[in-house]
Amino acid sequence: MVRRVAVIGAGVGGLASIKCCLDEGLEPTCFERSEDIGGVWHYMDTTDSRGVSVYRSVITNTSKEMSCFSDFPFPEDFPNYLHHSLVLEYFGMYAQHFDLLRHIRFKTTALSVRKSPDFTASGQWEVVTETDGIQELHIFDAVMVCTGHYQEPYLPLASFPGINSRFKGQYLHSQEYRDVEAFRGKRVLVVGIGNTGGDLAVELSRVAAKVYLSARSSTWVFSRVSDHGFPFDMVHTTRFKHLLDWLLPSALTKRLRFWKFNSWFNHANYGLASTKSSNFRVIVNEELPFCLLSGTVVLKPNVKEFTESSAVFEDGTAEDNIDVVLFATGYIFTFPFLEESVRSLFDDNRSLYKRVFPPQLEQPTLAIIGLVQLTGSVMVGSEMQARWVAGIFAGWNKLPPTTTMMADVLKKKPPVKRHPSERENLKLSFLSYMDEIASHAGIKPSVLRLLLTDPRLALAVFFGPCTPYQYRLVGRGKWSGARDAILTQWQRMLKPLRTRVVDDSSNSSYSWRWLCLLALPVALTAGFILSKYPRPGWSTWARLQL
């Protein structure tokens, strides 16, 4: 019987895990090596051994309604996309509201997590922690590792000949970046065009003498501001569009998405991507196209080598007088505190059952929370994982036999180990993954049942954004405020924009209501289909979703 649970890390996954354990009557103790909650969202002016931190200007890529804890909406006056300071403030509100801080031991590092001698029978763990130089041994019935995937910077210097032996300038990983001041007036090369690389290139272009952005793969760029000025994820992450993606051929869906990307600007003209691209990534960046158009950022191919002051690229071109090389090459995860026999069970998250449980363990008392990248908010995904895991620890949910879990892992694991900087092996469709875990936890809403009992709510659930509140409508942890939160989500989205109100006589609320009524047969059909037929695997959805 699981009772005492160790939670490693007090970031978003750790806070959700503490709260979910308390909801299930468990006794969590969280060990956090820093002096505050928030994990990577806890901004630090300097880099030190306490871990990875956001840089000064970070703003969320997912909107507040799509990123909140499922029973605790963001304040309605918070902007839709949030500066990291507001995210940390929200975490503080959450921790205070649910009285989580008394379960956290700050400035305490987890040194080791090892199986107890009788693990096969008891499933218990020996956890050694250190506080102010004093070590302590604890025995826990279960462990939830909530350190996420931003653990150790990946700096592939061996892939860039000359960076150590010949290059006379400075190089650093984006983990060390805090703000633009150190780069003022310099010629900077940013290596890597993920979300971080794109953001840093844009930010540096305001003060640097020149910024070059090196891209290895094709990249599609989209804006957080979608049709009619609404947040992109609220418009496009809906069960209705999810159903269309399932029904339409994948080739057609892919072409439609490429067309949508190119309707903003032609990516081939900018050297970013082609519709013939087979290997590509998608990033969020409103300003990068203008920076490329204005020449403040220059896009370059992959770096071949470095000389004393130049970068030579694979197309044979070179850029001289480079002062700083900034590697935005991602992170790797190591879990150094886990004993080797456990750590060796998974080399990436695809070795974990549903990206959470090492299936080979004799007892399912170790869970990895937040080691997943979704096409939506990882905050929401981490909470969903924590709810499922806490239910399993409490005995309400059950895992299948080891053989079944291993078969599921092998089916989804890639045949060839990918390059550590490629995060596609972590990327999953937000809605598919959320529904999958919610089904196992018994908290997935039924559109068909809602149509019969609450048609207004059913239409909002099916055609509206798949906000986290949907997973508080049924099952354990059901929240009485979920229905109202869903029906008022657009008002909360508009609230921070109402700082100056203008008269708009072309109110479309009535036409929207008529559209919803006309779409009722579609929703009924969809509910029937989704209740009768299995969904495709996550790998299929990952190819289709943004």
Side-chain angles (χ1 to χ4, degrees), residues 458-518:
L459 291 173
V461 167
F462 185 68
F463 290 104
C466 185
T467 44
Y469 323 120
Q470 293 192 11
Y471 299 100
R472 290 285 180 177
L473 290 170
V474 296
R476 293 187 61 78
K478 179 180 178 180
W479 176 41
S480 60
R483 182 183 188 274
D484 182 66
I486 293 170
L487 296 178
T488 58
Q489 56 200 3
W490 287 108
Q491 288 93 311
R492 284 190 303 279
M493 176 262 145
L494 289 170
K495 174 67 175 179
L497 300 176
R498 300 303 194 193
T499 54
R500 178 176 180 268
V501 181
V502 296
D503 180 30
D504 181 12
S505 57
S506 58
N507 193 317
S508 60
S509 60
Y510 289 105
S511 59
W512 171 248
R513 290 172 186 172
W514 275 109
L515 178 62
C516 286
L517 289 174
L518 292 173

Side-chain angles (χ1 to χ4, degrees), residues 247-388:
L247 295 175
L248 295 175
S250 59
L252 176 59
T253 304
K254 184 177 178 181
R255 289 180 65 86
L256 288 173
R257 294 196 186 285
F258 286 169
W259 173 83
K260 180 66 176 177
F261 290 143
N262 277 330
S263 67
W264 183 26
F265 68 95
N266 189 305
H267 284 63
N269 288 345
Y270 285 66
L272 284 163
S274 164
T275 55
K276 298 179 181 178
S277 305
S278 57
N279 179 29
F280 61 88
R281 66 173 64 199
V282 180
I283 67 170
V284 181
N285 201 305
E286 294 80 25
E287 298 179 74
L288 182 59
F290 177 74
C291 288
L292 295 173
L293 198 62
S294 63
T296 55
V297 174
V298 176
L299 193 64
K300 302 294 292 185
N302 195 38
V303 177
K304 180 182 179 182
E305 62 177 340
F306 287 93
T307 65
E308 288 189 357
S309 61
S310 304
V312 181
F313 300 93
E314 290 183 343
D315 62 354
T317 61
E319 296 297 342
D320 301 325
N321 302 317
I322 300 296
D323 298 304
V324 183
V325 179
L326 183 56
F327 287 96
T329 45
Y331 295 83
I332 57 176
F333 48 87
T334 57
F335 304 111
F337 48 84
L338 287 179
E339 67 172 273
E340 178 58 30
S341 65
V342 176
R343 193 165 64 244
S344 63
L345 295 178
F346 55 98
D347 53 1
D348 62 38
N349 74 346
R350 293 197 180 197
S351 302
L352 301 170
Y353 178 65
K354 306 304 180 189
R355 296 350 189 230
V356 176
F357 287 99
Q360 304 96 321
L361 285 179
E362 301 93 325
Q363 296 284 352
T365 54
L366 174 68
I368 312 297
I369 304 297
L371 189 64
V372 60
Q373 252 195 342
L374 303 173
T375 55
S377 171
V378 71
M379 301 183 199
V380 179
S382 296
E383 185 200 26
M384 177 61 74
Q385 291 176 332
R387 292 179 67 187
W388 179 44

